[in-house]
Amino acid sequence: MPDPVTELRSAVEAAASALRDGADPPSSQPTLERPPKPEFGDYSTNAAMLLAPSLGEQPRGTAEKLAEELGRSLEGTVEKVEVAGPGFLNLFLSADWYRRAAGELAVAGEDLGRPSEPNTTERINVEFVSANPTGPITAAGGRGAALGDSIARILEFAGHPVTREYYVNDRGGQIDRFAASISARMTGGSLPEDGYEGDYVVEIAKSLEQEGVSPDDLEDLGRRGIALILATAEETLLRYGVVFDTWSSERALHESGAVERALEQAREAGHVYESEGATWLRTTSFGDDKDRVLIRSDGDPTYLLSDMAYHRDKLERGSDRLIDVVGADHHGYVERLRAALAVLGYDPDALEVAIMQLVHVVEGGERAQMSKRSGDFVTLDELIDDIGADAARYFMLQRSHDTTVDLDLELARKTSNENPVYYVQYAHARIASILRKAGEGAEERAAADFAALPAEPSERALIKRLCELPDEVADAATRRAPHRLCAYSTEVARDFHAFYRDCQVVGADGEGVEEARLGLCLLTKRTIARTLGLLGISAPESM
């Protein structure tokens, strides 16, 4: 069902099409945006400026014609249409439009905020977290978890089938060092060079010793240690609101022959060669700055070979698009992986990579040292214990993933409007309180047609904000940008608080006015809950 803003945008496009009368269409679709100041109208469009070249006219002349056409076609919807600047059109909407718009949103039900169906749905694999299984998930890993999970939620809501996947790097040198570190803790020996410190390794060693695992069986120690780390990681992620559909194993890829098959396919395609005792992939043929090693001279496969096989596997399992959420140290890796997919005959554009910047956990203006068990890093569990999963997710998501996050613990703990997640959640809880105050059956009494709504300025501002949700979700889905919904949730909360300041709800004068305003409160509550839900954050009934 089209939302009110989409219907208005379609009316503008139809009016422009009627004036075009066979002339070539503009190269782009007209915009419909909120002007920076209320005196410039409710919405502004550049439709006349795009149409004027096709008609061979000056934009202002076309704008005057389009204003007349819109005045006729939108009679009862617009109070007036003004020409501004070089040819913009400012639309001033009637109170009836606001009442109808609120009514349309109110009957949307579970589709509230859902954007129009995409022209093409894609089966999307979102791979995120994927931390080495040699230690607890850190606060930095929590940023990737929040980002990947929220992207998946938004894409699903926008109509795409999504798989959430965790890739376990359970082979190679880091696993050998992990096993040797556990063995050293069991025997009291020295840690290997670049071994794993931290009390969590001691805890794993004690657990495996109680199970009777031999400290000399490094293969078994590695497997069992990984299993314990992954079990803890799954519990941590569940606390954080993240559940994976698939856990994939690098070791399993090698054992199944998938890595060898990917290598042979690349070799048969003529893109593999031997040099200096190593096996190389000719990625320069696909835009990389230099060729890359697949198998080192000592016979050890590189990560690129495993990842080439892994991404091939994901595509073979039926994914149309792969989205990888990775850390800040992966900048140079993206192009070589895209080149590897091209070597295997896949479209490299099927792979998207969101590279996250760093997370700094800050307290009192300085980096926090919270960990009692791990010494030099903050675990996600410790962060959740301190500020809660909701605050942790919101602070991780409120900035674009390509900017550094300073997570201020003192701010995140505050129960005041200074804390952005508290501010939004409080708006939801406040509405729940208003509905309780209105008495039993308030939600049933809340109007769905809004015919009695006075449409005061703050009511109009709130309705207009609520109408923006489908566009915000669509933009967040297209740009893989959950931070847009963080900003939107804050704007909704701000507009609601202004509405409640200006407009009496319970006990409002006028027949049906209380019911209409209760309906607007309920619609706002559902909008906040929908937005927070897409971010993986709860919407509390009381605070």
Side-chain angles (χ1 to χ4, degrees), residues 347-374:
D347 180 1
D349 290 336
L351 172 65
E352 296 179 23
V353 181
I355 300 177
M356 298 178 303
Q357 294 306 306
L358 300 175
V359 175
H360 296 148
V361 179
V362 177
E363 185 166 25
E366 298 182 357
R367 292 221 192 139
Q369 292 293 336
M370 291 170 30
S371 180
K372 295 181 177 66
R373 296 184 296 114
S374 48

Side-chain angles (χ1 to χ4, degrees), residues 99-287:
R99 294 171 185 134
R100 291 197 305 270
E104 289 180 23
L105 295 181
V107 299
E110 289 302 309
D111 288 328
L112 178 66
R114 195 185 304 277
S116 301
E117 285 290 327
N119 293 330
T120 303
T121 58
E122 295 182 302
R123 293 166 296 180
I124 302 176
N125 179 295
V126 184
E127 183 226 320
F128 56 106
V129 185
S130 297
N132 284 340
T134 53
I137 295 178
T138 65
R143 187 177 193 186
L147 178 63
D149 182 60
S150 296
I151 288 174
R153 289 169 184 257
I154 293 165
L155 289 171
E156 279 183 329
F157 187 61
H160 300 282
V162 175
T163 298
R164 297 163 175 81
E165 184 152 337
Y166 190 121
Y167 181 52
V168 183
N169 296 113
D170 52 358
R171 67 173 305 280
Q174 85 276 8
I175 302 301
D176 295 338
R177 290 189 294 275
F178 180 51
S181 299
I182 297 172
S183 177
R185 294 302 190 188
M186 295 172 75
T187 62
S190 300
L191 287 174
E193 185 178 355
D194 296 327
Y196 290 88
E197 301 180 9
D199 290 345
Y200 74 93
V201 181
V202 176
E203 293 172 8
I204 291 173
K206 289 179 179 177
S207 176
L208 295 183
E209 192 170 26
Q210 290 172 359
E211 292 180 21
V213 180
S214 169
D216 297 326
D217 191 344
L218 295 183
E219 177 76 13
D220 198 25
L221 285 179
R223 286 182 182 271
R224 288 174 177 259
I226 289 169
L228 290 173
I229 289 288
L230 291 179
T232 301
E234 191 168 8
E235 291 177 3
T236 300
L237 291 166
L238 186 59
R239 293 182 68 198
Y240 203 48
V242 178
V243 177
F244 285 94
D245 302 303
T246 303
W247 296 68
S248 290
S249 160
E250 181 184 3
R251 180 191 294 269
L253 280 174
H254 281 266
E255 292 175 349
S256 71
V259 174
E260 183 62 30
R261 287 194 297 273
L263 176 62
E264 287 307 307
Q265 183 179 346
R267 195 188 302 276
E268 290 171 5
H271 299 298
V272 174
Y273 63 94
E274 311 294 326
S275 178
E276 301 173 353
T279 301
W280 297 71
L281 184 67
R282 191 173 284 107
T283 54
T284 51
S285 299
F286 299 90

Side-chain angles (χ1 to χ4, degrees), residues 113 154 465 468-477 481 484-485 488 491:
I154 293 165
R465 185 72 68 192
E468 293 175 356
L469 181 56
D471 281 349
E472 291 292 346
V473 173
D475 284 348
R484 293 183 61 90
L485 294 184
Y488 174 73
E491 291 164 349

Side-chain angles (χ1 to χ4, degrees), residues 359-363 383 387 391-392 395-396 405-409 412:
V359 175
H360 296 148
V361 179
V362 177
E363 185 166 25
L383 189 63
I387 64 175
F395 276 79
M396 294 292 190
V405 164
D406 287 330
L407 200 164
D408 187 334
L409 293 175

